[in-house]
Amino acid sequence: QVQLVESGGGLGQAGGSLRLSCAASGRTFSTYTMGWFRQAPGKEREFVAAIRWNGGSRTYADFVKGRFTISRDNAKNTVYLQMNSLKPEDTAVYYCAASTGGVAGLRDLPAYWGQGTQVTVSS
């Protein structure tokens, strides 16, 4: 069982930066593929980024490439999402997710979800 708790959301300005953190419980954190999704009002939840268990492979949605960076610290059981060059369309609830099935498994059906953290970007 893995529990995920996000933090770091809030209000940002267009062109600015925010960093999200996701703290995971459980001794098997380092074996999970971790990722971030987001859901804007009135829209479906969408994939943002994923990172394999050893940090050696990272995958991004096209709309965040070059702006967002996912990273992880297995010693701290934490995954991060550094968001730079924020845009108003990045406004959404951001969810942390975990999967044992690799990036494809994470994108299809994560095993665990966090409760979400709100990110609002003003223009």
Side-chain angles (χ1 to χ4, degrees), residues 93-111:
V93 177
Y94 283 72
Y95 297 90
C96 179
S99 172
T100 59
V103 174
L106 182 88
R107 296 184 74 156
D108 288 341
L109 187 63

Side-chain angles (χ1 to χ4, degrees), residues 31-116:
T31 66
Y32 283 82
T33 294
M34 300 297 298
W36 292 91
F37 291 72
R38 71 185 188 184
Q39 187 168 19
K43 296 187 177 181
E44 293 187 351
R45 191 174 299 188
E46 61 184 357
F47 169 79
V48 175
I51 185 168
R52 291 291 301 269
W53 66 275
N54 62 356
S57 176
R58 309 177 194 196
T59 303
Y60 297 94
D62 287 344
F63 53 79
V64 301
K65 282 182 179 177
R67 300 191 300 122
F68 291 9
T69 302
I70 188 170
S71 61
R72 66 189 295 161
D73 185 339
N74 286 342
K76 295 182 178 180
N77 279 15
T78 302
V79 62
Y80 305 96
L81 186 68
Q82 178 66 42
M83 305 187 294
N84 298 329
S85 301
L86 286 167
K87 302 177 181 180
E89 51 264 44
D90 293 322
T91 296
V93 177
Y94 283 72
Y95 297 90
C96 179
S99 172
T100 59
V103 174
L106 182 88
R107 296 184 74 156
D108 288 341
L109 187 63
Y112 302 102
W113 290 98
Q115 83 288 349

